[in-house]
């Protein structure tokens, strides 16, 4: 069947255009990946920055008065390439620190004289209401990759990167260092297990014999966030009903990998 047959009645709205594209997928004229990408392109034409930004509470920032020794571990653990630099708080961002700007100093940085302000890049500021499609054009034409998002009162409400926009179109962007797909739950010691944070609570309960309430939480990662009351960082620990959890991998938006240490009295159940 020719794809032109679907356009005998020209779509007049985005919804109608999406329906035509959906029918093309249903008739195997295009595959699911192509459909998802087209849908992503249509989505960014109506989305506002506030819809996909990284919220203020999850921003990883560096303080202007921090020394290299103070922020180097944060820089490495977060694996980000750009960091807003603040003075008093997150409402006072004076610029961006690019990780690559530290490379030229190598191991010859004199930590007693080094000052972040000497290598800061200017921070681009955009309103929450800005259209995502417009911002993407500005990212491309001005060749910058991050913008600070402000609300109607001028306070910082979050940040957005070009990757956040591209992921709306093409899905999650992984690099060559991202883990290959593995089992959601893997035994790595007598009482220790590696667990994908997206493992459903239903599957987790079935495997470990726990009885966590699955309502509203969805995943084991969601449960930990709920219990802690904030987005955990790498290395953070929590104990729930004698099960000890450690955050192994996380970024500023999600938990990725957990380590679970089970109580001694549960060993027999998991080995039989």
């Amino acid at each position: 069947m020719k794809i032109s047959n679907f356009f005998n009645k020209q779509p007049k709205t985005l919804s109608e255009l999406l329906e035509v594209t959906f029918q093309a997928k249903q008739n195997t004229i295009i595959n699911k990946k192509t459909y998802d990408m087209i849908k992503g392109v249509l989505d960014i034409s109506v989305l506002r920055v506030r819809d996909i930004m990284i919220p203020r509470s999850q921003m990883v920032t560096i303080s202007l008065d921090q020394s290299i020794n103070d922020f180097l571990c944060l820089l490495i653990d977060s694996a980000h390439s750009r960091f807003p630099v603040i003075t008093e708080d997150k409402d006072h961002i004076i610029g961006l620190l690019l990780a690559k700007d530290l490379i030229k100093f190598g191991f010859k940085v004199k930590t007693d004289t080094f000052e972040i302000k000497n290598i800061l890049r200017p921070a681009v500021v955009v309103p929450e209401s800005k259209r995502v499609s417009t911002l993407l054009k500005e990212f491309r034409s001005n060749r910058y990759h991050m913008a600070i998002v402000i609300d109607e009162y001028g306070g910082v409400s979050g940040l957005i990167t070009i990757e956040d926009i591209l992921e709306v179109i093409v899905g999650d962007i992984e690099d060559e260092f991202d883990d290959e797909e593995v089992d959601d739950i893997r035994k790595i010691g007598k009482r220790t297990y590696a667990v994908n944070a997206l493992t459903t609570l239903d599957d987790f309960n079935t495997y470990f014999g726990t009885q966590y309430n699955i309502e509203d939480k969805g995943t084991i990662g969601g449960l930990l966030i709920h219990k802690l009351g904030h987005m955990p960082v790498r290395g953070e620990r929590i104990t729930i009903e004698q099960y000890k959890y450690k955050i192994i991998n996380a970024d500023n938006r999600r938990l990725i990998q957990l380590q679970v240490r089970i109580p001694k009295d549960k060993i027999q159940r998991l080995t039989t």
Side-chain angles (χ1 to χ4, degrees):
M1 184 180 294
K2 295 181 179 180
I3 194 169
S4 58
N5 291 343
F6 287 99
F7 291 92
N8 290 333
K9 180 183 177 181
Q10 292 188 357
K12 295 181 173 59
T13 65
L14 287 177
S15 296
E16 290 180 359
L17 179 57
L18 188 59
E19 176 61 25
V20 169
T21 309
F22 178 76
Q23 291 300 324
K25 177 177 76 74
Q26 292 293 89
N27 288 276
T28 66
I29 295 173
I30 61 175
N31 59 31
K32 183 179 184 302
K33 287 185 177 180
T34 302
Y35 168 76
D36 289 342
M37 189 174 296
I38 293 173
K39 183 178 182 299
V41 171
L42 296 177
D43 284 343
I44 69 166
S45 67
V46 296
L47 288 173
R48 304 285 180 170
V49 167
R50 68 170 72 90
D51 297 321
I52 64 170
M53 70 180 185
I54 297 168
R56 173 192 176 110
S57 62
Q58 297 176 24
M59 289 170 51
V60 179
T61 60
I62 292 173
S63 178
L64 181 65
D65 58 7
Q66 283 185 288
S67 67
I68 289 182
N69 291 333
D70 289 336
F71 69 74
L72 192 56
C73 287
L74 173 67
L75 186 148
I76 294 171
D77 288 343
S78 69
H80 299 323
S81 58
R82 294 169 174 80
F83 300 84
V85 177
I86 64 175
T87 51
E88 300 173 35
D89 54 38
K90 290 180 180 179
D91 280 326
H92 297 81
I93 296 174
I94 61 170
L96 300 178
L97 173 67
L98 273 60
K100 69 177 184 179
D101 287 341
L102 294 173
I103 295 176
K104 61 185 177 182
F105 294 96
F107 295 98
K108 299 179 180 178
V109 178
K110 295 181 179 180
T111 56
D112 56 339
T113 60
F114 175 81
E115 294 186 12
I116 298 177
K117 66 180 181 181
N118 294 330
I119 59 171
L120 282 186
R121 303 288 187 96
V124 175
V125 177
V126 299
E128 289 183 347
S129 58
K130 194 179 194 71
R131 287 190 179 275
V132 172
S133 55
T134 301
L135 181 59
L136 178 58
K137 292 178 183 177
E138 293 177 1
F139 273 151
R140 294 180 59 193
S141 60
N142 298 320
R143 302 182 69 180
Y144 55 85
H145 293 254
M146 175 186 284
I148 305 301
V149 183
I150 58 173
D151 59 27
E152 58 184 312
Y153 303 105
V156 172
S157 55
L159 63 80
I160 186 170
T161 69
I162 191 170
E163 184 177 275
D164 296 323
I165 300 176
L166 294 178
E167 286 188 344
V168 174
I169 302 173
V170 300
D172 288 344
I173 299 173
E174 299 181 349
D175 61 32
E176 67 272 27
F177 301 106
D178 286 333
D179 295 333
E180 295 181 0
E181 185 174 344
V182 295
D183 292 338
D184 286 341
I185 301 175
R186 293 178 294 116
K187 187 174 183 178
I188 57 177
K190 187 175 181 180
R191 295 171 54 197
T192 308
Y193 293 77
V195 179
N196 185 327
L198 292 179
T199 301
T200 66
L201 278 177
D202 194 21
D203 288 345
F204 190 93
N205 285 340
T206 300
Y207 190 97
F208 289 104
T210 49
Q211 296 181 341
Y212 293 143
N213 185 353
I214 64 176
E215 294 182 7
D216 301 327
K217 313 301 184 304
T219 66
I220 185 63
L223 176 69
L224 298 193
I225 294 172
H226 174 75
K227 291 291 187 180
L228 287 166
H230 63 265
M231 179 62 68
V233 297
R234 184 179 301 183
E236 194 164 351
R237 300 170 185 265
I238 181 176
T239 299
I240 304 175
E241 298 176 7
Q242 296 185 307
Y243 285 76
K244 297 181 179 181
Y245 298 87
K246 179 181 178 182
I247 310 303
I248 299 300
N249 194 3
D251 58 26
N252 57 344
R253 291 174 291 178
R254 59 180 179 169
L255 297 184
I256 300 171
Q257 192 75 17
L258 314 171
Q259 186 181 98
V260 182
R261 187 168 176 81
I262 66 173
K264 289 182 180 180
D265 59 3
K266 299 295 183 180
I267 296 177
Q268 183 65 25
R269 177 190 180 279
L270 291 172
T271 55
T272 57

